[in-house]
Amino acid sequence: MTSPTPQLQRFFYSHYFFGGLRQATGVLLPALVLTGLFGWVAAGFVAAVGAACVALLDQPGGPRRYGINGMFAALCLGSLTTAVTGLAASNTLAIWLVVPTLCFGFSMLTVYGKHGGLLGFACLLIMTLTLRTPLTQADVLQHTLTSFLGGAFYLIYSAIAHRLLWHREEQQVLSVALFATADYVATRSQFYDIHVDLEKSYRQLIRSQAAMTDAHQAARDMVLRELPRGATSRGDRLRQGLLNLFVDMVSLLDSMVATHTDYTTLRQALPDSDILLFVRDAMRKLAANVSGLALNVARNRHARVRNSVKAELRAIEFELQQLREQGMLQSDPELYALLVQVLRRLRNMTRQVDRMADHSVNPLPQDSDLSKANRSLNRFLTRQKWRLGLLTDNLHMQSAHFRYGLRVAVAALLSMVVGTLMAYTPMVRTLDPGMAGHSYWIILTVLIIMKPGFALTRQRNGWRLMGTLIGCGLAVVLFFLDLNPTLYLLILVASSILGYSLVQVNFILSAVFNTLFVLLIFHFLVPGSNTVVGERLVDTVIGSVLALSCSYILPSWERTAIDTLARTLRTANQAFLQKGLAYVQASRKARQAGYPDSSDRNEAETQWKLSRNNVHIAFSNFASAFYRMMDEPVRRQRHVPELNRLMIQHHALASQIAAVIPQLARLDQEPAGIRQALAATTDFLAGRTGAPPNVIETDGDHAAMAYPLRQMIKAAQRIDENMRALEPGATPANHRKPQAASA
């Protein structure tokens, strides 16, 4: 079995590094050209700032159309912000009004999600850097025009790069999703290792599933945004090849999600059996295969990577035969059926991974028909809506976005106060006369650190401080060595690339390289002045203290929103079951009519898959909010045991629904016990009192459904109980750190 792909190798072949290289090149080119060819150092810096503002919206892994629209919005709003800030800078009263107002307004753009938050931060970034050099009214037009041209250059450059390298970008985004899938498979394998703690494995699984959901949605938005048009062009063939791999990956995920098992029962019933170890080893090999496939996709190679799992599958078959001879089929038919289902799913996963490997070698089989690309896949894409009403509807104190905007405005105002006091402090001016001119860095630090949630702000605060400290230390060492200017320039370029590349991967390292990048810029602007290292460090510490302190002003604790996320998740699972039952009925009708592939049946299947995707997203949002709440002060947490149980039971419920529905679809009619179990699950999810059956049929293929149906009823009942505990007036349990039960 090959070892998992090293993280460093993943990074350098990922769209994160590729996107960072593109961003750094587009930002540095205007500065290098204007400085190197014309000697316009100040103009080069301003143009680079304008390009950096636009580059923030050029995020790796996002849909190209949204990226172009976002960059255009950043160009227009950023240029307007530059002009307003430049004009206000010459008037003391105006600048004290404009800066907090802009901070509030642009922070409110978080109502539009991730892209809105990035747009707001881009405008605040250009506002802050415009404050660095006081401008006269005569200089504002030239400064704004230079910044606009730098941003316009990056927009054109990025559009051309996307146009030429679209296939490479889609490959890299798909490879990240494949790596995330491999990690998820490897995490699932730990449940079959009796030496690994179940609670620890379950916590890792939740985080792994959340990361995989995000990676899969990014791949959807890239791969499905432009489907093959049915032509025989090279572009359509490339698109079809990526689409085949994506569909295979989703099929593998479906098999994995439907493998939820009572691991506690398995460990207790089979403590000395090797069957669990064989399952673990088979899943690890499959994870290694998917990881190797992901690396090949990232490198644009068509070599087949395969570790055979035939030995493990045959060993599991032998163990099952031994258990059958020992009488398990009669003594515990449900446990035996459960083990048979595990074996069947492993076989199915093996076929799917082999199919993925085939598609990686032959992206477009000879018998493929491009015209059959399923247009219904468009419904799985993320839709970005920019409505003015969404912004105005949040202009009240109950809105988390409104409170966040106020916190940022107050923090910016305090940063200006501190900067002004530092300017008039004799001791500071004596130690470092330039200190007073760098208060803009305090504002920038505040804007980088502050996030809508308290936990994220505190987390970023620590990361930013640590990254700045390490970056300053590296800068001191480099300046002490007194290297060749060309070498300093190469380090500056490398720092810029890594700073952009690591921002979504490792914020601490990103802060290290960004700090080093900025210090090297000042080293070139003011040669021999190494006091800037101390200035940046002091400014960052002050900004961090202000950001963390202001996080307590009208805070938005996760507990205020997590109830809504819990209800959304319950609704999503309820719809998942309802759409699944509708798909079962449509399959039966189509089979009875002699048209097993009818349009009604296909539409019902698509609706079921859409609802499953909604469950994954809702679960990821709920789990992320729960873990953020656990990072907040204990006195700000509420209903921790109930919310933890909800997370566990929703995961179990979704897994069992995914396992049961395909089996029901193959039956012409379910027996009374199974029908009653489905009705009880539906009632509990709807908040009604369900009536579980006394007996669930276990004859023939029905035995494989008995366990998941019982788990569905139990999960739905516990979800209903814990949701009632969240209602106003219910007595919350004592706050404590959650212990993830083995579902």
Side-chain angles (χ1 to χ4, degrees):
M1 181 172 63
T2 60
S3 59
T5 306
Q7 292 295 329
L8 194 61
Q9 193 175 24
R10 290 191 188 190
F11 169 70
F12 281 114
Y13 281 108
S14 71
H15 64 287
Y16 299 115
F17 181 75
F18 187 77
L21 179 62
R22 182 182 67 247
Q23 289 172 300
T25 302
V27 170
L28 292 177
L29 267 180
L32 294 176
V33 170
L34 293 177
T35 301
L37 296 183
F38 302 101
W40 299 343
V41 179
F45 179 80
V46 174
V49 170
C53 172
V54 177
L56 282 173
L57 275 295
D58 188 19
Q59 291 295 310
R64 289 192 300 277
R65 180 166 60 86
Y66 288 173
I68 296 297
N69 292 343
M71 286 188 286
F72 182 74
L75 175 63
C76 297
L77 278 178
S79 300
L80 181 61
T81 302
T82 302
V84 171
T85 306
L87 290 172
S90 59
N91 186 289
T92 304
L93 178 60
I95 197 64
W96 281 79
L97 292 175
V98 165
V99 170
T101 301
L102 291 178
C103 287
F104 171 77
F106 287 130
S107 297
M108 281 292 297
L109 293 182
T110 54
V111 299
Y112 297 112
K114 177 184 176 181
H115 293 282
L118 285 174
L119 177 60
F121 178 72
C123 294
L124 291 176
L125 172 66
I126 204 168
M127 174 204 75
T128 307
L129 294 178
T130 303
L131 294 172
R132 175 181 172 270
T133 305
L135 301 173
T136 64
Q137 293 192 358
D139 295 332
V140 171
L141 178 60
Q142 180 182 354
H143 187 96
T144 303
L145 181 60
T146 305
S147 176
F148 175 83
L149 291 176
F153 166 79
Y154 187 91
L155 176 60
I156 297 172
Y157 154 82
S158 180
I160 294 174
H162 281 300
R163 182 71 176 176
L164 295 177
L165 302 172
W166 66 268
H167 180 61
R168 192 81 187 100
E169 291 177 0
E170 291 189 5
Q171 283 181 311
Q172 290 170 333
V173 173
L174 183 58
S175 74
V176 170
L178 287 167
F179 275 127
T181 305
D183 292 340
Y184 182 75
V185 175
T187 304
R188 292 298 290 259
S189 70
Q190 296 180 2
F191 286 94
Y192 296 95
D193 190 339
I194 60 175
H195 302 295
V196 178
D197 182 61
L198 275 177
E199 295 174 357
K200 179 181 177 181
S201 298
Y202 193 81
R203 286 192 291 269
Q204 291 177 347
L205 181 71
I206 297 299
R207 297 181 186 274
S208 177
Q209 181 171 329
M212 181 180 63
T213 299
D214 293 340
H216 276 226
Q217 191 57 47
R220 265 189 204 93
D221 289 337
M222 286 289 283
V223 176
L224 303 185
R225 189 66 60 178
E226 295 183 22
L227 293 171
R229 298 179 176 84
T232 58
S233 65
R234 179 176 178 272
D236 275 336
R237 290 196 297 271
L238 293 175
R239 288 189 178 94
Q240 184 66 36
L242 293 177
L243 179 61
N244 289 340
L245 267 178
F246 175 80
V247 172
D248 292 338
M249 179 182 69
V250 173
S251 297
L252 178 63
L253 171 63
D254 294 344
S255 296
M256 285 302 305
V257 169
T259 57
H260 196 81
T261 306
D262 191 343
Y263 303 105
T264 302
T265 300
L266 283 180
R267 292 184 178 195
Q268 292 174 350
L270 305 168
D272 301 320
S273 176
D274 291 334
I275 191 170
L276 299 184
L277 296 182
F278 292 138
V279 174
R280 180 203 64 184
D281 292 344
M283 294 182 69
R284 286 182 177 177
K285 283 188 176 182
L286 291 174
N289 285 346
V290 177
S291 182
L293 172 62
L295 185 61
N296 277 346
V297 171
R299 295 186 297 185
N300 196 26
R301 293 185 180 180
H302 301 296
R304 185 180 178 90
V305 178
R306 181 169 180 256
N307 296 300
S308 176
V309 296
K310 288 183 179 179
E312 284 75 16
L313 294 179
R314 289 175 179 172
I316 295 172
E317 291 173 357
F318 176 78
E319 292 291 332
L320 282 174
Q321 182 180 352
Q322 294 291 103
L323 293 174
R324 186 168 58 249
E325 292 175 355
Q326 294 171 9
M328 178 179 281
L329 186 58
Q330 290 74 31
S331 62
D332 198 342
E334 289 187 26
L335 180 60
Y336 183 80
L338 183 63
L339 293 173
V340 171
Q341 283 299 308
V342 171
L343 175 60
R344 289 177 179 175
R345 288 167 185 156
L346 279 176
R347 287 173 178 162
N348 188 33
M349 289 169 58
T350 302
R351 287 193 296 269
Q352 289 165 343
V353 173
D354 287 342
R355 179 180 172 87
M356 293 166 68
D358 292 339
H359 279 155
S360 69
V361 176
N362 182 20
L364 189 63
Q366 295 297 321
D367 58 349
S368 294
D369 185 356
L370 297 178
S371 63
K372 293 183 178 180
N374 192 351
R375 299 294 170 177
S376 64
L377 293 173
N378 282 317
R379 285 182 279 181
F380 290 87
L381 299 175
T382 301
R383 306 296 180 184
Q384 184 73 39
K385 296 181 180 180
W386 295 78
R387 295 186 298 103
L388 180 61
L390 187 60
L391 184 64
T392 57
D393 290 345
N394 280 271
L395 294 176
H396 54 83
M397 288 298 294
Q398 285 70 39
S399 169
H401 304 285
F402 184 82
R403 295 155 74 95
Y404 169 62
L406 287 179
R407 285 197 300 276
V408 174
V410 171
L413 188 61
L414 290 177
S415 300
M416 296 175 69
V417 171
V418 172
T420 303
L421 293 176
M422 291 172 65
Y424 289 99
T425 302
M427 183 178 68
V428 172
R429 286 186 296 179
T430 301
L431 292 175
D432 185 3
M435 178 69 76
H438 293 281
S439 60
Y440 73 94
W441 193 265
I442 301 176
I443 301 177
L444 181 60
T445 301
V446 166
L447 296 177
I448 291 174
I449 292 176
M450 291 197 73
K451 294 295 173 185
F454 177 86
L456 288 177
T457 298
R458 186 172 67 175
Q459 189 180 58
R460 284 240 175 173
N461 189 61
W463 290 346
R464 176 72 177 176
L465 275 175
M466 187 179 300
T468 301
L469 182 62
I470 297 173
C472 289
L474 290 176
V476 169
V477 173
L478 288 175
F479 296 156
F480 176 78
L481 294 175
D482 194 20
L483 303 174
N484 185 284
T486 303
L487 190 56
Y488 278 131
L489 180 61
L490 292 176
I491 297 175
L492 182 149
V493 173
S495 298
S496 176
I497 294 172
L498 292 174
Y500 276 112
S501 302
L502 290 164
V503 70
Q504 296 185 54
V505 180
N506 190 310
F507 191 81
I508 294 178
L509 288 178
S510 177
V512 169
F513 289 110
N514 282 329
T515 301
L516 187 59
F517 169 68
V518 171
L519 294 176
L520 285 170
I521 286 179
F522 282 109
H523 180 73
F524 279 105
L525 291 176
V526 188
S529 178
N530 295 335
T531 58
V532 70
V533 177
E535 296 172 15
R536 293 288 76 78
L537 184 58
V538 171
D539 292 347
T540 301
V541 171
I542 295 173
S544 298
V545 171
L546 288 175
L548 189 60
S549 301
C550 291
S551 295
Y552 289 93
I553 300 175
L554 299 175
S556 298
W557 306 110
E558 293 295 337
R559 67 181 186 183
T560 60
I562 201 166
D563 287 1
T564 301
L565 294 175
R567 288 191 292 270
T568 301
L569 179 55
R570 180 178 186 170
T571 302
N573 249 330
Q574 190 176 2
F576 186 35
L577 177 58
Q578 292 173 348
K579 297 295 184 182
L581 295 177
Y583 163 61
V584 169
Q585 295 299 324
S587 298
R588 291 173 182 170
K589 289 181 180 178
R591 200 162 49 244
Q592 293 169 0
Y595 298 99
D597 243 358
S598 68
S599 58
D600 289 343
R601 183 255 180 204
N602 292 336
E603 174 62 21
E605 183 180 17
T606 299
Q607 291 293 333
W608 185 54
K609 291 180 178 179
L610 275 170
S611 62
R612 178 180 57 201
N613 186 50
N614 293 336
V615 168
H616 290 166
I617 294 173
F619 182 82
S620 177
N621 292 337
F622 177 77
S624 298
F626 176 76
Y627 285 121
R628 287 197 301 269
M629 187 182 74
M630 298 310 300
D631 289 334
E632 294 177 346
V634 175
R635 67 180 183 278
R636 301 299 180 182
Q637 301 169 15
R638 64 182 292 270
H639 294 301
V640 172
E642 291 83 0
L643 293 170
N644 183 57
R645 287 193 290 267
L646 276 175
M647 184 169 60
I648 295 170
Q649 298 304 328
H650 273 297
H651 185 271
L653 178 63
S655 299
Q656 303 303 351
I657 293 174
V660 165
I661 292 301
Q663 298 182 62
L664 287 174
R666 290 192 290 267
L667 300 178
D668 291 331
Q669 189 173 5
E670 64 269 5
I674 294 179
R675 192 182 312 114
Q676 189 176 354
L678 293 171
T681 304
T682 302
D683 288 337
F684 282 127
L685 278 178
R688 300 186 295 267
T689 302
N694 295 324
V695 178
I696 297 179
E697 291 77 8
T698 58
D699 55 310
D701 292 336
H702 298 156
M705 288 188 286
Y707 169 77
L709 284 170
R710 287 196 178 94
Q711 289 295 102
M712 284 171 56
I713 296 172
K714 182 164 52 174
Q717 187 173 9
R718 291 181 177 176
I719 288 171
D720 183 50
E721 292 171 356
N722 286 285
M723 287 298 296
R724 293 179 188 276
L726 299 183
E727 295 177 357
T731 304
N734 294 330
H735 294 304
R736 57 179 174 85
K737 290 290 183 182
Q739 298 294 323
S742 54

